[in-house]
Amino acid sequence: MNKTANFSILNCCYPIPPFDFSVKGVTSISSDVHKYGLAPKGTSVVLYRNHEIRKSSSKLNSALSCHFPVCSVTEWTGGLYVSPTIAGSRPGGLIAGAWAAMMSLGLNGNKFTLNFFGTIEDIPGLYVIGKPDMTVVAFASDVVDIFEVNDIMSSKGWHLNALQRPNSLHICVTLQHTTVYEQFLKDLQDSMDTVKANPGPISGGRAPIYGAAGKMPDRGMVRELLVEFMDSSC
């Protein structure tokens, strides 16, 4: 079992159950320092409970001649090559940037509290999925098409992640939201009211795409559509 976590937030601010190596069954922990650590991308780490698990977790990828997490190449004309990651060497600037960001934030830099859980559910027609332990809140609607709500929110400058099974949206709450969360909730309420009064997709919106993709039983076709979309937009 792998756990992804930001230690500074979990340890300082939220009373949640144990999640680290003290829990039986947790064999690895990954930490994305570029998220709440506000560090440059490319400095994520993965920790293993012990050396044996790290070594045995490798899985052969024949296309890359790599074993995860170790990448080794034996047939290269340049000689034998081995690296602890597929990416190979990392620029020292990234590591220095991560260190500087974490030192600047300190242990108290990420302490903030926003009651998104309760305030979203105060909006008629919306409900929060599950019981978030931390800062990612997913919500859905049993009254309107939530993807149409997302399109209205996008037109107001908010960019939320569209989820499926069930159709829903999620917001990753960060320090930046502490000064704008009231406006976010107001815009969310207004978007709900707009869709209730005028149901149906808006011009240029992506609600029909998400809605249709979620209903397609052939996931291979959905995958092909995603590849075609990426190929035509890059």
Side-chain angles (χ1 to χ4, degrees), residues 22-33:
S22 65
V23 179
K24 184 178 180 180
V26 175
T27 56
S28 62
I29 300 174
S30 60
S31 178
D32 293 333
V33 189

Side-chain angles (χ1 to χ4, degrees), residues 1-3 10 16-29 48-50 53:
M1 179 188 299
N2 174 269
K3 295 287 186 178
L10 290 175
I16 68 169
F19 65 92
D20 55 12
F21 290 133
S22 65
V23 179
K24 184 178 180 180
V26 175
T27 56
S28 62
I29 300 174
Y48 293 89
R49 180 181 288 272
N50 54 50
I53 292 177

Side-chain angles (χ1 to χ4, degrees), residues 81-214:
Y81 176 83
V82 63
S83 172
T85 66
I86 294 178
S89 59
R90 294 183 178 183
L94 292 180
I95 299 173
W99 178 85
M102 297 298 288
M103 292 298 292
S104 176
L105 282 173
L107 289 176
N108 297 321
N110 272 317
K111 283 191 174 181
F112 61 91
T113 302
L114 292 178
N115 187 19
F116 266 64
F117 181 91
T119 48
I120 287 178
E121 289 198 322
D122 287 340
I123 299 176
L126 290 180
Y127 64 92
V128 172
I129 298 175
K131 186 178 180 181
D133 283 322
M134 212 171 110
T135 54
V136 177
V137 181
F139 56 94
S141 175
D142 50 11
V143 176
V144 300
D145 185 335
I146 196 66
F147 295 144
E148 292 177 10
V149 174
N150 190 33
D151 284 340
I152 301 295
M153 289 292 285
S154 295
S155 70
K156 295 178 180 292
W158 300 100
H159 301 287
L160 305 175
N161 293 99
L163 310 178
Q164 60 180 351
R165 300 179 182 178
N167 292 348
S168 52
L169 306 175
H170 92 242
I171 179 172
C172 182
V173 184
T174 71
L175 192 63
Q176 304 302 317
H177 292 104
T178 57
T179 58
V180 298
Y181 77 97
E182 291 181 341
Q183 184 63 49
F184 170 83
L185 294 169
K186 179 182 182 302
D187 288 343
L188 185 57
Q189 174 71 74
D190 292 345
S191 298
M192 282 289 293
D193 293 341
T194 299
V195 175
K196 287 179 181 178
N198 303 281
I202 66 172
S203 177
R206 295 187 176 183
I209 298 176
Y210 283 111

